[in-house]
PDB file of all heavy atoms in Angstrom:
ATOM      1  N   HIS A 104     133.172 158.998 120.300  1.00 95.00           N
ATOM      2  CA  HIS A 104     132.817 158.118 121.393  1.00 95.00           C
ATOM      3  C   HIS A 104     133.976 157.323 121.971  1.00 95.00           C
ATOM      4  O   HIS A 104     134.185 157.285 123.189  1.00 95.00           O
ATOM      5  CB  HIS A 104     131.709 157.141 120.907  1.00 95.00           C
ATOM      6  CG  HIS A 104     131.016 156.463 122.101  1.00 95.00           C
ATOM      7  ND1 HIS A 104     131.412 155.266 122.643  1.00 95.00           N
ATOM      8  CD2 HIS A 104     129.893 156.803 122.857  1.00 95.00           C
ATOM      9  CE1 HIS A 104     130.629 154.944 123.588  1.00 95.00           C
ATOM     10  NE2 HIS A 104     129.683 155.778 123.715  1.00 95.00           N
ATOM     11  N   PHE A 105     134.853 156.683 121.039  1.00 95.00           N
ATOM     12  CA  PHE A 105     135.928 155.917 121.631  1.00 95.00           C
ATOM     13  C   PHE A 105     136.920 156.800 122.421  1.00 95.00           C
ATOM     14  O   PHE A 105     137.561 156.257 123.359  1.00 95.00           O
ATOM     15  CB  PHE A 105     136.644 155.179 120.531  1.00 95.00           C
ATOM     16  CG  PHE A 105     137.634 155.987 119.734  1.00 95.00           C
ATOM     17  CD1 PHE A 105     138.926 156.223 120.185  1.00 95.00           C
ATOM     18  CD2 PHE A 105     137.235 156.432 118.445  1.00 95.00           C
ATOM     19  CE1 PHE A 105     139.826 156.944 119.485  1.00 95.00           C
ATOM     20  CE2 PHE A 105     138.194 157.164 117.702  1.00 95.00           C
ATOM     21  CZ  PHE A 105     139.475 157.468 118.215  1.00 95.00           C
ATOM     22  N   MET A 106     137.019 158.043 122.038  1.00 94.00           N
ATOM     23  CA  MET A 106     137.902 158.952 122.777  1.00 94.00           C
ATOM     24  C   MET A 106     137.408 159.221 124.189  1.00 94.00           C
ATOM     25  O   MET A 106     138.131 159.251 125.151  1.00 94.00           O
ATOM     26  CB  MET A 106     138.061 160.257 121.965  1.00 94.00           C
ATOM     27  CG  MET A 106     138.688 160.133 120.573  1.00 94.00           C
ATOM     28  SD  MET A 106     138.733 161.757 119.801  1.00 94.00           S
ATOM     29  CE  MET A 106     139.214 161.171 118.129  1.00 94.00           C
ATOM     30  N   GLU A 108     135.453 157.275 125.850  1.00 96.00           N
ATOM     31  CA  GLU A 108     135.604 156.030 126.577  1.00 96.00           C
ATOM     32  C   GLU A 108     137.072 155.893 127.157  1.00 96.00           C
ATOM     33  O   GLU A 108     137.271 155.547 128.317  1.00 96.00           O
ATOM     34  CB  GLU A 108     135.421 154.792 125.693  1.00 96.00           C
ATOM     35  CG  GLU A 108     133.965 154.502 125.328  1.00 96.00           C
ATOM     36  CD  GLU A 108     133.833 153.246 124.524  1.00 96.00           C
ATOM     37  OE1 GLU A 108     134.753 152.910 123.714  1.00 96.00           O
ATOM     38  OE2 GLU A 108     132.802 152.563 124.626  1.00 96.00           O
ATOM     39  N   SER A 109     138.112 156.254 126.350  1.00 94.00           N
ATOM     40  CA  SER A 109     139.473 156.197 126.833  1.00 94.00           C
ATOM     41  C   SER A 109     139.615 157.186 127.914  1.00 94.00           C
ATOM     42  O   SER A 109     140.416 156.832 128.875  1.00 94.00           O
ATOM     43  CB  SER A 109     140.420 156.513 125.675  1.00 94.00           C
ATOM     44  OG  SER A 109     140.356 155.540 124.685  1.00 94.00           O
ATOM     45  N   CYS A 129     132.695 156.857 115.451  1.00 93.00           N
ATOM     46  CA  CYS A 129     133.868 156.689 114.586  1.00 93.00           C
ATOM     47  C   CYS A 129     133.674 155.514 113.677  1.00 93.00           C
ATOM     48  O   CYS A 129     133.451 154.408 114.083  1.00 93.00           O
ATOM     49  CB  CYS A 129     135.152 156.507 115.290  1.00 93.00           C
ATOM     50  SG  CYS A 129     136.576 156.134 114.333  1.00 93.00           S
ATOM     51  N   MET A 131     135.569 153.967 111.631  1.00 95.00           N
ATOM     52  CA  MET A 131     136.572 152.942 111.748  1.00 95.00           C
ATOM     53  C   MET A 131     136.391 152.073 112.979  1.00 95.00           C
ATOM     54  O   MET A 131     136.439 150.823 112.919  1.00 95.00           O
ATOM     55  CB  MET A 131     137.958 153.591 111.818  1.00 95.00           C
ATOM     56  CG  MET A 131     139.081 152.552 111.915  1.00 95.00           C
ATOM     57  SD  MET A 131     140.607 153.254 112.583  1.00 95.00           S
ATOM     58  CE  MET A 131     141.068 154.463 111.377  1.00 95.00           C
ATOM     59  N   ALA A 132     136.169 152.722 114.132  1.00 95.00           N
ATOM     60  CA  ALA A 132     136.018 151.967 115.404  1.00 95.00           C
ATOM     61  C   ALA A 132     134.801 151.011 115.281  1.00 95.00           C
ATOM     62  O   ALA A 132     134.851 149.843 115.782  1.00 95.00           O
ATOM     63  CB  ALA A 132     135.804 152.905 116.598  1.00 95.00           C
ATOM     64  N   ASP A 133     133.697 151.482 114.602  1.00 95.00           N
ATOM     65  CA  ASP A 133     132.523 150.631 114.480  1.00 95.00           C
ATOM     66  C   ASP A 133     132.740 149.394 113.462  1.00 95.00           C
ATOM     67  O   ASP A 133     131.871 148.583 113.400  1.00 95.00           O
ATOM     68  CB  ASP A 133     131.356 151.468 114.078  1.00 95.00           C
ATOM     69  CG  ASP A 133     130.802 152.326 115.231  1.00 95.00           C
ATOM     70  OD1 ASP A 133     131.150 151.940 116.392  1.00 95.00           O
ATOM     71  OD2 ASP A 133     130.094 153.275 114.979  1.00 95.00           O
ATOM     72  N   ALA A 135     135.017 147.245 113.692  1.00 97.00           N
ATOM     73  CA  ALA A 135     135.389 146.050 114.548  1.00 97.00           C
ATOM     74  C   ALA A 135     134.467 145.949 115.760  1.00 97.00           C
ATOM     75  O   ALA A 135     134.629 146.629 116.792  1.00 97.00           O
ATOM     76  CB  ALA A 135     136.815 146.224 115.021  1.00 97.00           C
ATOM     77  N   THR A 160     145.596 146.613 119.040  1.00 98.00           N
ATOM     78  CA  THR A 160     144.488 147.520 118.539  1.00 98.00           C
ATOM     79  C   THR A 160     144.989 149.007 118.500  1.00 98.00           C
ATOM     80  O   THR A 160     145.684 149.399 119.416  1.00 98.00           O
ATOM     81  CB  THR A 160     143.230 147.351 119.323  1.00 98.00           C
ATOM     82  OG1 THR A 160     142.176 148.083 118.596  1.00 98.00           O
ATOM     83  CG2 THR A 160     143.335 147.973 120.761  1.00 98.00           C
ATOM     84  N   TYR A 161     144.619 149.687 117.473  1.00 97.00           N
ATOM     85  CA  TYR A 161     144.848 151.052 117.298  1.00 97.00           C
ATOM     86  C   TYR A 161     144.047 151.785 118.390  1.00 97.00           C
ATOM     87  O   TYR A 161     143.022 151.277 118.784  1.00 97.00           O
ATOM     88  CB  TYR A 161     144.408 151.478 115.961  1.00 97.00           C
ATOM     89  CG  TYR A 161     144.709 152.906 115.517  1.00 97.00           C
ATOM     90  CD1 TYR A 161     145.708 153.669 116.076  1.00 97.00           C
ATOM     91  CD2 TYR A 161     144.090 153.399 114.352  1.00 97.00           C
ATOM     92  CE1 TYR A 161     146.002 154.938 115.630  1.00 97.00           C
ATOM     93  CE2 TYR A 161     144.294 154.645 113.960  1.00 97.00           C
ATOM     94  CZ  TYR A 161     145.310 155.466 114.554  1.00 97.00           C
ATOM     95  OH  TYR A 161     145.480 156.764 114.084  1.00 97.00           O
ATOM     96  N   MET A 162     144.455 152.925 118.831  1.00 94.00           N
ATOM     97  CA  MET A 162     143.726 153.739 119.842  1.00 94.00           C
ATOM     98  C   MET A 162     142.366 153.967 119.348  1.00 94.00           C
ATOM     99  O   MET A 162     141.398 154.107 120.133  1.00 94.00           O
ATOM    100  CB  MET A 162     144.445 155.044 120.085  1.00 94.00           C
ATOM    101  CG  MET A 162     143.981 155.873 121.198  1.00 94.00           C
ATOM    102  SD  MET A 162     144.425 155.156 122.721  1.00 94.00           S
ATOM    103  CE  MET A 162     143.511 156.179 123.881  1.00 94.00           C
ATOM    104  N   ASN A 163     142.153 154.111 117.977  1.00 95.00           N
ATOM    105  CA  ASN A 163     140.889 154.391 117.405  1.00 95.00           C
ATOM    106  C   ASN A 163     139.928 153.152 117.417  1.00 95.00           C
ATOM    107  O   ASN A 163     139.625 152.649 116.371  1.00 95.00           O
ATOM    108  CB  ASN A 163     140.998 154.978 116.014  1.00 95.00           C
ATOM    109  CG  ASN A 163     141.810 156.239 116.010  1.00 95.00           C
ATOM    110  OD1 ASN A 163     142.616 156.481 116.895  1.00 95.00           O
ATOM    111  ND2 ASN A 163     141.604 157.009 114.987  1.00 95.00           N
ATOM    112  N   SER A 164     139.672 152.661 118.559  1.00 97.00           N
ATOM    113  CA  SER A 164     138.808 151.425 118.732  1.00 97.00           C
ATOM    114  C   SER A 164     137.967 151.581 119.960  1.00 97.00           C
ATOM    115  O   SER A 164     138.362 152.344 120.906  1.00 97.00           O
ATOM    116  CB  SER A 164     139.723 150.154 118.797  1.00 97.00           C
ATOM    117  OG  SER A 164     140.647 150.271 119.862  1.00 97.00           O
ATOM    118  N   SER A 165     136.959 150.802 120.065  1.00 97.00           N
ATOM    119  CA  SER A 165     136.072 150.836 121.210  1.00 97.00           C
ATOM    120  C   SER A 165     136.702 150.236 122.471  1.00 97.00           C
ATOM    121  O   SER A 165     137.720 149.502 122.409  1.00 97.00           O
ATOM    122  CB  SER A 165     134.755 150.107 120.900  1.00 97.00           C
ATOM    123  OG  SER A 165     135.003 148.748 120.690  1.00 97.00           O
ATOM    124  N   ALA A 166     136.178 150.598 123.621  1.00 97.00           N
ATOM    125  CA  ALA A 166     136.746 150.064 124.864  1.00 97.00           C
ATOM    126  C   ALA A 166     136.672 148.531 124.928  1.00 97.00           C
ATOM    127  O   ALA A 166     137.627 147.888 125.471  1.00 97.00           O
ATOM    128  CB  ALA A 166     135.952 150.638 126.033  1.00 97.00           C
ATOM    129  N   ASP A 167     135.660 147.907 124.319  1.00 97.00           N
ATOM    130  CA  ASP A 167     135.565 146.468 124.467  1.00 97.00           C
ATOM    131  C   ASP A 167     136.641 145.754 123.553  1.00 97.00           C
ATOM    132  O   ASP A 167     137.105 144.694 123.867  1.00 97.00           O
ATOM    133  CB  ASP A 167     134.174 145.908 124.216  1.00 97.00           C
ATOM    134  CG  ASP A 167     133.585 146.430 122.925  1.00 97.00           C
ATOM    135  OD1 ASP A 167     134.217 147.010 122.094  1.00 97.00           O
ATOM    136  OD2 ASP A 167     132.338 146.128 122.716  1.00 97.00           O
ATOM    137  N   ILE A 168     137.055 146.445 122.448  1.00 98.00           N
ATOM    138  CA  ILE A 168     138.189 145.908 121.629  1.00 98.00           C
ATOM    139  C   ILE A 168     139.454 146.053 122.367  1.00 98.00           C
ATOM    140  O   ILE A 168     140.322 145.182 122.427  1.00 98.00           O
ATOM    141  CB  ILE A 168     138.197 146.564 120.274  1.00 98.00           C
ATOM    142  CG1 ILE A 168     136.867 146.325 119.525  1.00 98.00           C
ATOM    143  CG2 ILE A 168     139.368 146.045 119.461  1.00 98.00           C
ATOM    144  CD1 ILE A 168     136.495 144.872 119.365  1.00 98.00           C
ATOM    145  N   LYS A 169     139.624 147.185 122.978  1.00 98.00           N
ATOM    146  CA  LYS A 169     140.816 147.382 123.879  1.00 98.00           C
ATOM    147  C   LYS A 169     140.899 146.286 124.941  1.00 98.00           C
ATOM    148  O   LYS A 169     141.937 145.721 125.291  1.00 98.00           O
ATOM    149  CB  LYS A 169     140.902 148.753 124.489  1.00 98.00           C
ATOM    150  CG  LYS A 169     141.073 149.870 123.439  1.00 98.00           C
ATOM    151  CD  LYS A 169     141.169 151.208 124.156  1.00 98.00           C
ATOM    152  CE  LYS A 169     141.434 152.398 123.205  1.00 98.00           C
ATOM    153  NZ  LYS A 169     140.272 152.743 122.389  1.00 98.00           N
ATOM    154  N   ALA A 170     139.749 146.072 125.575  1.00 98.00           N
ATOM    155  CA  ALA A 170     139.629 145.050 126.598  1.00 98.00           C
ATOM    156  C   ALA A 170     139.933 143.636 126.098  1.00 98.00           C
ATOM    157  O   ALA A 170     140.616 142.810 126.763  1.00 98.00           O
ATOM    158  CB  ALA A 170     138.280 145.096 127.310  1.00 98.00           C
ATOM    159  N   CYS A 172     142.034 142.909 123.765  1.00 98.00           N
ATOM    160  CA  CYS A 172     143.452 142.860 123.588  1.00 98.00           C
ATOM    161  C   CYS A 172     144.059 142.639 125.001  1.00 98.00           C
ATOM    162  O   CYS A 172     145.081 141.878 125.188  1.00 98.00           O
ATOM    163  CB  CYS A 172     144.033 144.072 122.979  1.00 98.00           C
ATOM    164  SG  CYS A 172     143.617 144.178 121.184  1.00 98.00           S
ATOM    165  N   VAL A 179     147.557 148.272 123.129  1.00 96.00           N
ATOM    166  CA  VAL A 179     147.024 149.332 122.280  1.00 96.00           C
ATOM    167  C   VAL A 179     148.204 149.987 121.647  1.00 96.00           C
ATOM    168  O   VAL A 179     149.366 149.935 122.181  1.00 96.00           O
ATOM    169  CB  VAL A 179     146.222 150.323 123.200  1.00 96.00           C
ATOM    170  CG1 VAL A 179     145.708 151.514 122.430  1.00 96.00           C
ATOM    171  CG2 VAL A 179     145.116 149.661 123.858  1.00 96.00           C
ATOM    172  N   CYS A 180     147.996 150.759 120.544  1.00 95.00           N
ATOM    173  CA  CYS A 180     149.052 151.551 119.972  1.00 95.00           C
ATOM    174  C   CYS A 180     148.471 152.814 119.407  1.00 95.00           C
ATOM    175  O   CYS A 180     147.276 152.922 119.252  1.00 95.00           O
ATOM    176  CB  CYS A 180     149.849 150.755 118.890  1.00 95.00           C
ATOM    177  SG  CYS A 180     148.899 150.615 117.327  1.00 95.00           S
ATOM    178  N   LEU A 202     144.096 145.518 114.728  1.00 98.00           N
ATOM    179  CA  LEU A 202     142.702 146.063 114.697  1.00 98.00           C
ATOM    180  C   LEU A 202     142.772 147.529 114.849  1.00 98.00           C
ATOM    181  O   LEU A 202     143.665 148.105 115.489  1.00 98.00           O
ATOM    182  CB  LEU A 202     141.900 145.469 115.830  1.00 98.00           C
ATOM    183  CG  LEU A 202     141.841 143.995 115.988  1.00 98.00           C
ATOM    184  CD1 LEU A 202     141.599 143.554 117.411  1.00 98.00           C
ATOM    185  CD2 LEU A 202     140.712 143.465 115.120  1.00 98.00           C
ATOM    186  N   PRO A 203     141.769 148.308 114.313  1.00 98.00           N
ATOM    187  CA  PRO A 203     140.804 147.924 113.286  1.00 98.00           C
ATOM    188  C   PRO A 203     141.172 148.432 111.926  1.00 98.00           C
ATOM    189  O   PRO A 203     140.556 148.267 110.967  1.00 98.00           O
ATOM    190  CB  PRO A 203     139.458 148.462 113.727  1.00 98.00           C
ATOM    191  CG  PRO A 203     139.869 149.812 114.394  1.00 98.00           C
ATOM    192  CD  PRO A 203     141.238 149.580 115.022  1.00 98.00           C
TER     193      PRO A 203
END
Side-chain angles (χ1 to χ4, degrees):
H104 197 271
F105 79 80
M106 300 178 186
E108 286 184 329
S109 297
C129 171
M131 179 202 296
D133 285 342
T160 188
Y161 188 20
M162 189 72 187
N163 299 26
S164 58
S165 62
D167 52 9
I168 300 303
K169 292 182 177 74
C172 291
V179 179
C180 75
L202 304 153

